[in-house]
Amino acid sequence: MGVGMLAILALLPIIVVAIFLVGLKWPASKAMPLSYIVAVLLALFVWDVAFPQVAAASVHGLVVAVTLLFIIFGAILVLNTLQESGGLHTIRRGFTDISPDRRIQVIIIAWLFGSFIEGSAGFGTPAAVAVPLMVGLGFPAMAAVVAGMIIQSTPVSFGAVGTPMIVGVGTGVAPLTEISDVSAFVFEAATKVATLHLIAGLLIPLFLVGILTKFFGKNKSFSEGLKVWKFALFAALAMTIPYIIVAFLLGPEFPAMLGGLIGLAIVIPTAQKGFLTPKGDDVWDFESKDRWDPTWTGRVELKNSEIYAGKISMWRAWAPYVLIAAFLLISRLTVAGDWLKSAKIVIPNIFGTNITSTWEILFSPGFIFIVVAVITYFMHGMKPSDFGRAWKASWKTIVAASTALVFTVPMVQVFINTAGGGAGYPEMPIALAEGVANLAGSVYPIFATFIGGIGAFVAGSNTVSNMMFSYFQYGVGERIGADPTWIVALQAVGGAAGNMICVHNVVAASAVVGLIGKEGHVIRKTLLPFFYYALLAGSIGYSIIWTAEKGIFNIGSIIAIIIWTIAIYIIATNNKRLNELGGKRKSA
């Protein structure tokens, strides 16, 4: 079978997701079983994979789904515990003291705090922490999830203390005999990854506030978000400048973590002093909850916070999140992590295959969340009945979320475990990537990010995407005469951006706030930021790779110039559009 036809067939499970989940807005609980069935049929009858391997991949997917549900449950439990104790009321008051403007709040919580948590733990933890925090502050559940997904881009390549680079890229390129020192290669690639993220990530806070006001504001205006463009760019640079400095000096472990932390240390004090923040009538907020679109709300209902006034002090309210961050750091950076990893459940060689499932239950962020929830119970002096309600509400939410994940993750595992079939074809992700590479030719660097993005979209992980494709991307770089390090860097950046549209990340983030069955609505809103990120990074990569041969004005640089020209024009003419919007409101 030809490379092109094989690539089209490998694309079918993704097409099913695009049509039913994104296009027709089916809930993931209905769309993902179809995608799973298509992947299984392709594996069995086109790739000719043995049934035990398909079954083993499915079982492994179920184990991974359980580990995700465990994390989600812990995150929901922390949220519900803080809700029952009154801690959320205090936290909300604290953010209002920084700025009552929701645009400022979303930048601080999602972009800066989310980046720090991503650097600490990765693997969807920012959504499990930042998304419920935003809901607790009064954000619509869907707005919180969309914001949590959009920031799953710039910090992701260096998430979980550099795991996508160290483990993902390192494992992916390890078989290459051309690379004598894998660690040195990863370090070099990391500097290139940070450079690309610095440029592409600069506009992410702008997308964040623009999409917030466009889809969740009274006037449905992107311009209302861009009104705080100065603060958004300031916050972007406050994170990305330390981020790139750390990448060049220390390597891939700490850019996201220290970038987010330093960004918080810079932005919060300046915002408290009113630097670049809206005041008076310029403060933006959501409409009253009774006027929200029904699709925005989840099953997690927050109580009237006024009954908690003054009950929990600020330091006690924030203590659970401080403990989460501290425990994550300790478990990832000290020998305590080795002890926690030793407590694990292992299912080796499932059905006689080489597929093995491992669940490091104590090392999981879910375990840390549960421990922190128990500590919060004592720290906040809660009644047993209140804590019991938190557990009961969390269990109800997780049960509703389970249906989508028990099909989403097995589909992913079947998709990526199709090597070694009787047909002799490469596994589906590689078949798909080879089709794109053959079609693109020397223009391939622009598409390299999209390959990484597709990998993350399917696998739900930048790390897994890098493991799947880094070897392939390196080979394509050599074949087209480009620096393979840059092509692998583009892979890593695209894999990070793909987290914005990754199905099971969206399902997991939505489940944390009880937003069940509306995953397609979320992905439709994050598609544009993903496309921007992958296209800009790919274009810059193309320009860097081919400038010496094709000159400074090449396809890549022209696309990048067009993107930045559009962005500058939109920002420069924003006041005019706002005035027109104000005039329409007055005439109405």
Side-chain angles (χ1 to χ4, degrees), residues 480-529:
I480 65 175
D483 181 352
T485 313
W486 273 110
I487 303 296
V488 173
L490 290 168
Q491 153 64 38
V493 172
N499 277 260
M500 286 192 266
I501 56 170
C502 164
V503 179
H504 85 49
N505 279 359
V506 172
V507 172
S510 300
V512 173
V513 290
L515 193 71
I516 309 300
K518 299 164 188 173
E519 298 84 3
H521 293 264
V522 174
I523 294 177
R524 286 162 68 94
K525 294 173 176 63
T526 58
L527 271 173
L528 178 60

Side-chain angles (χ1 to χ4, degrees), residues 9-14 16 31-59 61-62 406-418 421 428:
L9 289 172
L11 190 62
L12 284 179
I14 300 172
V16 169
M32 297 316 298
L34 288 179
S35 182
Y36 170 72
I37 291 170
V38 170
V40 167
L41 291 176
L42 287 170
L44 290 174
F45 300 110
V46 177
W47 267 255
D48 197 18
V49 176
F51 179 79
Q53 182 165 326
V54 174
S58 299
V59 171
L62 289 174
V406 297
F407 283 103
T408 301
V409 188
M411 183 279 289
V412 169
Q413 293 303 318
V414 170
F415 187 86
I416 66 180
N417 282 283
T418 44
M428 290 186 199

Side-chain angles (χ1 to χ4, degrees), residues 21 26 251 284 297 341 367 469 503:
L21 184 70
W26 280 24
W284 187 88
T297 55
K341 287 181 178 179
F367 175 73
F469 291 130
V503 179

